[in-house]
Amino acid sequence: EIVMTQSPATLSVSPGERATLSCRASQSVSSNLAWYQQKPGQAPRLLIYGASTRATGIPARFSGSASGTEFTLTISSLQSEDFAVYYCQQYNNWPLTFGGGTKAEIK
Amino acid sequence: EVQLLESGGGLVQPGGSLTLSCAASGFTFSRYGMSWVRQAPGKGLEWVSAIRGDGGSTYYADSVKGRFTISRDNSKNTLYLHMNSLRAEDTAVYYCAKTIFGKNWFDPWGQGTLVTVSS
């Protein structure tokens, strides 16, 4: 099983600041990596797939990148609606696995 | 608009059974893979099971293999999760999600249905 490790667990950011979230895979997943946003009481929403492709309707302030087994989700300027929990997920191998999540909270 | 609506959750005793349903609309159901993903209270996301569009291939997490069965009825645009031998650790919100089989990211997700396993 591929283990996905996200860091930090909690990220304290002021509105308008840049946020950088990390996700590391225990082995190669190629570019088969997705990012999701989940707000309290809601289902997750797809943000990024293929490590760097924004899903339909996702604002340009969200971007994804990859370097080997290290993946990054960057939010260029945090808006109030972006404070949420973010999960990465690999879909290169079965079983499909998620990271433990990063909570972006207001500083 | 793609819509997924789960139902069937509730309170069940340990060792009991339950079947979840996910009614799909807004897309050609038989052309897409589907998955179940769960989230225990206050915890992260855990993929549970997946099925190909034609129902010909299924996959399971080790934690549910042999106890849960995923199936679909393409004539009814409905996905199912049959859960047997339920344990306290199966307590979670269960989401269904649409995938492109072979490119298994989840988009969109249903609103979820809560399963509570307790005596």
Side-chain angles (χ1 to χ4, degrees):
Chain A
E1 171 175 320
I2 297 176
V3 176
M4 307 301 292
T5 303
Q6 290 187 242
S7 61
T10 303
L11 188 62
S12 297
V13 187
S14 299
E17 287 189 341
R18 181 186 189 92
T20 303
L21 290 70
S22 297
C23 173
R24 174 184 295 174
S26 61
Q27 65 188 74
S28 175
V29 298
S30 188
S31 60
N32 296 316
L33 190 286
W35 288 94
Y36 302 88
Q37 176 193 67
Q38 187 178 33
K39 297 179 181 180
Q42 296 185 16
R45 175 177 71 145
L46 176 70
L47 297 175
I48 301 282
Y49 62 90
S52 61
T53 303
R54 275 190 305 277
T56 302
I58 301 304
R61 64 180 180 272
F62 291 91
S63 63
S65 63
S67 177
T69 59
E70 299 273 352
F71 299 86
T72 301
L73 175 69
T74 302
I75 311 171
S76 59
S77 176
L78 266 162
Q79 306 300 302
S80 57
E81 62 266 30
D82 300 334
F83 291 96
V85 180
Y86 293 84
Y87 294 95
C88 61
Q89 176 235 336
Q90 68 80 20
Y91 51 91
N92 196 65
N93 288 70
W94 301 100
L96 310 178
T97 49
F98 290 90
T102 292
K103 181 180 181 180
E105 64 175 25
I106 300 174
K107 187 175 183 179
Chain B
E1 178 192 5
V2 173
Q3 289 195 329
L4 301 171
L5 186 62
E6 301 94 336
S7 61
L11 176 63
V12 60
Q13 292 189 338
S17 300
L18 204 61
T19 295
L20 305 182
S21 300
C22 170
S25 61
F27 64 104
T28 305
F29 185 65
S30 61
R31 293 185 181 176
Y32 291 89
M34 297 291 294
S35 271
W36 289 97
V37 178
R38 68 184 180 183
Q39 186 169 37
K43 302 298 184 181
L45 301 170
E46 179 189 18
W47 170 77
V48 172
S49 183
I51 187 168
R52 207 171 63 186
D54 63 2
S57 294
T58 57
Y59 298 84
Y60 297 93
D62 285 347
S63 58
V64 306
K65 199 173 295 183
R67 299 188 300 122
F68 290 12
T69 302
I70 192 171
S71 65
R72 62 192 298 159
D73 185 337
N74 287 344
S75 69
K76 296 182 178 179
N77 289 352
T78 302
L79 173 73
Y80 302 100
L81 185 67
H82 310 276
M83 304 183 293
N84 295 322
S85 302
L86 283 161
R87 307 165 180 168
E89 55 265 35
D90 295 318
T91 294
V93 174
Y94 285 73
Y95 297 99
C96 64
K98 171 178 163 282
T99 68
I100 301 174
F101 210 77
K103 299 179 181 179
N104 292 298
W105 63 79
F106 307 114
D107 182 44
W109 301 55
Q111 88 292 343
T113 187
L114 176 63
V115 173
T116 303
V117 184
S118 175
S119 54

